[in-house]
Amino acid sequence: HKGRRRSGALPPTCFCDFVASQFCRPVRQNQSFLALTLLSRAAAVLTAGKGGIAVTRYGKRYFWFAAGILINAFGVAAVTRAELGTPPVAGVAYVFSQRFPLTMGQVTFLFNGMLILLQVALLRRKFPPVQLLQMLVNVLFSACLDLAMAALDWLRPAGLPARFAVLLAGCVVLALGIAIEVAPGVLTAPGEGAVRALAQVTGRRFGSVKAAFDLTVVGVTLTASLVMFGQVRGIGVGTAVSALAVGRIINLLNARLPLLRHIRGLAEED
């Protein structure tokens, strides 16, 4: 179809071949298979002329990564709806969304954007350009968080036992989301990227920097709530429970859940 493409007239039936010729690379010679590439890795295989898509292992890794982000967002929303305190990572977004006409997802997007800029400022030339894809992760998680908060708007547990039940369920969902998000090993979330950058610059262990980072976020949440409302908001027993329980639940799921072994296996095979 080269002649037709030069003349500007491209029949609709040739659209698949045109897209493939412009943006794809051949996987097999003398075959009508072409691979869509992402970061120089094949994410899906397009059958030219037929419109069929066969997802490769790398594509499946991205699928599970996105699924993990969605589940993660529902876990954050469930813990927040328990009204016993938000997870540490969501405290800032919750407090500022209570004061300004912004959703938790929108505040999360701004906050994570600042964390990405922090990484660039700390690492400078050592900042891997591929980590700019954290902006895509930021957009996806922020959108999923607003979706989850809206979907669980009906969840208003009455009484302390019901609130604790929702809190514990939210911690399990949050842990599952994080475990699935991390298992494929494709991209880094802005919060984790900031911790890694700080650890690299300071020379301290990741775990120690992570603990200090979480405490700093809680401190910012506490200060902001006191300044804007004169009382503590977003921090409570649920904050402590999620901080202590989620990591342990993740370890349990990693050891016992076959699905996570399957997802990690996709990364090992690639």
Side-chain angles (χ1 to χ4, degrees):
H1 308 296
K2 293 182 179 179
R4 295 177 181 174
R5 194 159 60 243
R6 292 194 188 98
S7 64
L10 185 65
T13 56
C14 300
F15 177 74
C16 181
D17 293 333
F18 171 71
V19 172
S21 65
Q22 295 296 314
F23 300 104
C24 305
R25 64 183 181 183
V27 180
R28 301 177 184 175
Q29 294 180 351
N30 302 322
Q31 297 289 337
S32 60
F33 291 93
L34 295 156
L36 295 173
T37 58
L38 176 61
L39 302 177
S40 72
R41 301 288 299 274
V45 176
L46 178 66
T47 305
K50 297 182 180 180
I53 296 180
V55 181
T56 66
R57 290 188 180 92
Y58 204 68
K60 291 178 182 178
R61 290 169 63 189
Y62 273 95
F63 167 80
W64 284 116
F65 176 77
I69 288 179
L70 179 62
I71 297 171
N72 185 344
F74 270 88
V76 172
V79 173
T80 302
R81 291 301 185 196
E83 298 183 350
L84 292 172
T86 67
V89 70
V92 173
Y94 177 80
V95 170
F96 278 87
S97 67
Q98 295 289 304
R99 177 63 178 84
F100 299 100
L102 297 170
T103 65
M104 282 187 66
Q106 291 169 339
V107 179
T108 297
F109 176 82
L110 296 175
F111 181 69
N112 285 342
M114 294 174 60
L115 294 181
I116 296 172
L117 293 177
L118 175 63
Q119 295 175 55
V120 176
L122 289 173
L123 299 179
R124 299 184 181 181
R125 293 183 178 180
K126 294 182 180 179
F127 180 79
V130 69
Q131 290 302 328
L132 290 174
L133 289 175
Q134 290 180 34
M135 287 301 300
L136 297 180
V137 180
N138 188 17
V139 171
L140 179 60
F141 178 74
S142 300
C144 288
L145 181 56
D146 278 345
L147 172 65
M149 290 296 293
L152 297 181
D153 185 61
W154 58 271
L155 188 58
R156 307 285 180 175
L160 199 57
R163 290 184 177 183
F164 266 104
V166 173
L167 169 62
L168 294 177
C171 288
V172 173
V173 174
L174 177 57
L176 176 62
I178 294 174
I180 293 177
E181 177 185 335
V182 172
V186 286
L187 294 175
T188 302
E192 181 183 346
V195 173
R196 286 184 176 178
L198 288 168
Q200 181 176 341
V201 171
T202 61
R204 297 183 179 275
R205 293 184 301 176
F206 180 88
S208 300
V209 177
K210 173 63 174 173
F213 178 82
D214 287 344
L215 287 175
T216 301
V217 172
V218 171
V220 171
T221 303
L222 177 61
T223 302
S225 62
L226 290 175
V227 170
M228 291 188 292
F229 303 105
Q231 59 182 351
V232 177
R233 293 193 181 186
I235 299 177
V237 64
T239 305
V241 170
S242 61
L244 295 173
V246 169
R248 290 174 171 80
I249 298 173
I250 290 174
N251 291 337
L252 179 63
L253 292 174
N254 281 329
R256 300 295 181 85
L257 193 61
L259 174 63
L260 294 175
R261 290 196 293 270
H262 168 71
I263 298 173
R264 288 192 297 268
L266 295 175
E268 294 172 358
E269 291 173 4
D270 280 342

